[in-house]
Amino acid sequence: MRSWTDTLRFAFQPVVNLLTGGIAALEILARPESGDILAEARRDPELDGRLAVSALRAAVRRETLLPLHVNVFAGTLADLGGLQPLHDAVREAGRMPWEVTLDVCPPYTHVPRAALLEALAVLRGQGFRISADGVGDGDAPLRLLTDLAPELVKLDASLLARPAAVRAMRVLCDEMGALLSVEGVETEGQYAVARAAGAQLAQGELFAPPARLPAADVYVPSGAPGVLPAPRSGPPVRQFVRPAALLPVTASAGQVRALLTGSPHVSGVLLVDRDGVPVRSVHRSRFLLSMSARYGHALYADRPAAKLGDAPRTVGVDATAWEVLEVVAVGGRDRTSDDVAVVDARGRCVGVVRLADLVRALAESRVEEAAGLNPLTRLPGSDAITGEVDRRIADGRAFALSWLDVDRFKEVNDGAGFAAGDELIRSVGQALLRSAGGATRVGHIGGDDFLVLTEPEGLDPLAASVLDVPWSAGGRPVTLSLATVLCAPGTVPDHRYAAAGLAPLKKAAKALHGASWVLGRAGSPGYEVRRGSDVPAAAAG
């Protein structure tokens, strides 16, 4: 009698890093020749557990060095209290548990929450990583999602029709320390939306369909928009993580040589202890040079590879690209091409980053940043400010958006000359920058117009820094007008509505005499005059 294993095959689909275009991992998918074994597995936890073990063994037979994603139903984990047979199979295959991510699949309805969380704690203790699968099209409540605290969240591609929701999920993932992936990407349009909304990983037919053999290359469209602008401290290193080639610290030089010669794309090997903590780093070129030297193979082949390795250079998974460069800078000049190991809170290796990836991304970010700067003030344009506005809206943070300009600036230019006008604009920009705190963003959107984003409590110092100054151009007194819209959480859906709220306030401020400041609140009629008068100075005297 034939068993279910006789008619079951497995396919592999790559998980693609959207920043580097490389393959970050392989998901193993069950492909039965007949019947619906997945429906049976949903009802039978024991069967689902055996499926997970079979998937792992199918991947190992392909001898891939990539991290693996194995699917398992949430109900299975709650019922079995973990997956000890899978842990045993991983060890038997010579792989490490932290190289395997468990994609926890819905449904979650009627799954005992406490039992599920206890099972996940056991799996994490064994070293497995956890992914929340089917988010956006499943039944995972947000409270449960945050309790799961996954290392990865997989969104259904249907959510790409609502980019704001994807952006909000990226914010949530950043808070949880998780990466964001999108499944089922089929078109270049979906890919562009996923990247622009902040997804770091993706998989789908566009990149590579599920196949019996693991894909060596994937298709990644070129010229797509970049991810959300990175903070000033540099893009997070988690966006550049590549799979690491890992061997136990007890591995011989011969084992390392076999791995390197059989995998030409691997630039180095990390030797890790039983917990996955990097102990030694073996650089490809230096190692092979030593082995190929006269008597090298005879001297080293059966000796521990650690003898030919160096102390690993490591950074935390929350580090920035600039922090990685600092780590590289303090090392010896001969190690600048070494991979840097990325470790989690327990010190376990989650992957490596390559210096070339970081340098290229930082160079591109600097070029993009420079291209967006106003040549007169060297301040960014409106895109940088509005992008930050959308992030604060997604974060549910209150903020104040202000528009500042020079009164009757054309008359200033006509009377004092454009050079004096330019000097005035530069001086105003510098004053805004000096008053800007850590959360304040200043932009020069053209001519005499500035856009300032700040926290509500920073408004008074901001106003004083520019309205209490006796400005002049070519000896002619000059006044400024400031319009501010306060946006409480939930009052504006995106930056367009915030900007629209500024328009009537700016008009009201320009109608006043002297240095003026008008403040309104999004969603509320009317405004408050903080500075300025509707009576000309001569009439008032």
Side-chain angles (χ1 to χ4, degrees), residues 6 23 28 74 96 109 112 130 140 150 214 231 258 330 339 369 388 429 518 523 525:
D6 296 326
I23 301 175
I28 316 164
M96 306 293 184
T109 304
I130 305 300
V330 299
D339 293 341
E369 179 183 327
E388 179 63 22
V518 168

Side-chain angles (χ1 to χ4, degrees), residues 505-521:
L505 300 177
K506 180 187 178 186
K507 183 178 180 180
K510 300 297 287 183
L512 299 174
H513 296 276
S516 60
W517 180 19
V518 168
L519 183 144
R521 289 172 172 77

Side-chain angles (χ1 to χ4, degrees), residues 103-125:
D103 287 357
V104 183
C105 303
Y108 292 93
T109 304
H110 307 308
V111 174
R113 175 178 168 277
L116 174 60
L117 296 180
E118 288 175 9
L120 292 179
V122 170
L123 292 164
R124 280 199 170 96

Side-chain angles (χ1 to χ4, degrees), residues 38 49 61 77 83 94 106 136 152 163 178 188 206 227-228 232 236 261 340 370 372 430-431 536:
L38 294 181
R61 285 196 295 271
L77 298 178
L83 287 174
L152 177 66
E188 295 193 14
L206 175 68
V227 295
L228 288 173
R232 294 180 66 87
T261 55
V340 177
Q430 290 167 5

Side-chain angles (χ1 to χ4, degrees), residues 488-501:
T491 56
V492 289
D494 60 35
H495 70 270
R496 297 176 184 83
Y497 285 82

Side-chain angles (χ1 to χ4, degrees), residues 67-447:
L68 305 173
H69 284 240
V70 177
N71 292 290
V72 62
F73 289 109
T76 295
L77 298 178
D79 190 83
L80 299 182
L83 287 174
Q84 186 61 42
L86 180 63
H87 181 262
D88 295 340
V90 170
R91 288 296 190 183
E92 290 168 8
R95 299 296 294 264
M96 306 293 184
W98 46 89
E99 298 178 78
V100 179
T101 297
L102 296 179
D103 287 357
V104 183
C105 303
Y108 292 93
T109 304
H110 307 308
V111 174
R113 175 178 168 277
L116 174 60
L117 296 180
E118 288 175 9
L120 292 179
V122 170
L123 292 164
R124 280 199 170 96
Q126 294 173 335
F128 290 109
R129 303 187 186 281
I130 305 300
S131 165
D133 203 352
V135 175
D137 194 41
D139 59 345
L142 282 178
R143 179 183 173 186
L144 176 61
L145 182 61
T146 56
D147 288 343
L148 295 178
E151 282 79 21
L152 177 66
V153 172
K154 287 189 173 184
L155 295 184
D156 186 85
S158 62
L159 213 60
L160 293 175
R162 301 167 179 82
V166 182
R167 289 195 296 270
M169 188 57 67
R170 168 64 191 270
V171 172
L172 177 60
C173 285
D174 287 345
E175 290 291 327
M176 297 191 298
L179 293 175
L180 181 63
S181 181
V182 180
E183 293 184 293
V185 176
E186 297 180 351
T187 68
E188 295 193 14
Q190 289 179 319
Y191 164 79
V193 171
R195 281 204 64 180
Q200 294 130 322
L201 303 168
Q203 57 191 115
E205 296 277 345
L206 175 68
F207 309 106
R212 294 291 175 86
L213 294 177
D217 297 295
V218 293
Y219 168 73
V220 179
S222 60
V227 295
L228 288 173
R232 294 180 66 87
S233 56
V237 73
R238 66 177 64 241
Q239 295 184 359
F240 304 92
V241 174
R242 291 174 175 264
L246 304 177
L247 283 176
V249 69
T250 54
S252 68
Q255 290 174 300
V256 171
R257 183 177 184 276
L259 189 158
L260 291 175
T261 55
S263 306
H265 62 282
V266 172
S267 55
V269 176
L270 287 173
L271 305 179
V272 297
D273 64 15
R274 289 181 57 85
D275 295 322
V277 176
V279 177
R280 301 295 283 176
S281 173
V282 179
H283 183 267
R284 180 187 189 90
S285 298
R286 293 198 299 274
F287 174 84
L288 292 179
L289 186 62
S290 297
M291 290 290 286
S292 62
R294 191 177 185 184
Y295 307 122
H297 189 273
L299 285 172
Y300 300 118
D302 297 324
R303 298 185 65 186
K307 298 285 187 182
L308 295 174
D310 301 287
R313 297 188 295 187
T314 62
V315 295
V317 72
D318 294 321
T320 67
W322 288 112
E323 290 172 314
V324 178
L325 291 185
E326 291 173 1
V327 170
V328 173
V330 299
R333 187 171 296 180
D334 61 331
R335 297 195 61 192
T336 54
S337 62
D338 287 20
D339 293 341
V340 177
V342 181
V343 298
D344 63 13
R346 299 185 184 181
R348 303 176 305 187
C349 181
V350 301
V352 295
V353 290
R354 294 180 180 174
L355 182 62
D357 289 341
L358 299 185
V359 171
R360 182 170 57 250
L362 290 172
E364 290 173 354
S365 69
R366 285 291 186 245
V367 170
E368 292 173 1
E369 179 183 327
L373 297 180
N374 187 287
L376 180 61
T377 58
R378 308 303 295 168
L379 290 172
S382 61
D383 287 349
I385 307 300
T386 55
E388 179 63 22
V389 167
D390 285 336
R391 281 191 289 279
R392 297 194 189 190
I393 292 172
D395 287 347
R397 296 165 58 188
F399 62 89
L401 186 63
S402 299
W403 191 335
L404 176 79
D405 72 350
V406 179
D407 295 329
R408 295 180 295 278
F409 183 63
K410 186 177 184 303
E411 295 178 18
V412 172
N413 264 350
D414 290 345
F418 72 86
D422 286 352
E423 183 58 35
L424 172 64
I425 296 302
R426 278 193 289 266
S427 298
V428 172
Q430 290 167 5
L432 288 171
L433 278 179
R434 285 194 297 270
S435 70
T440 300
R441 300 289 181 267
V442 180
H444 182 190
I445 59 178

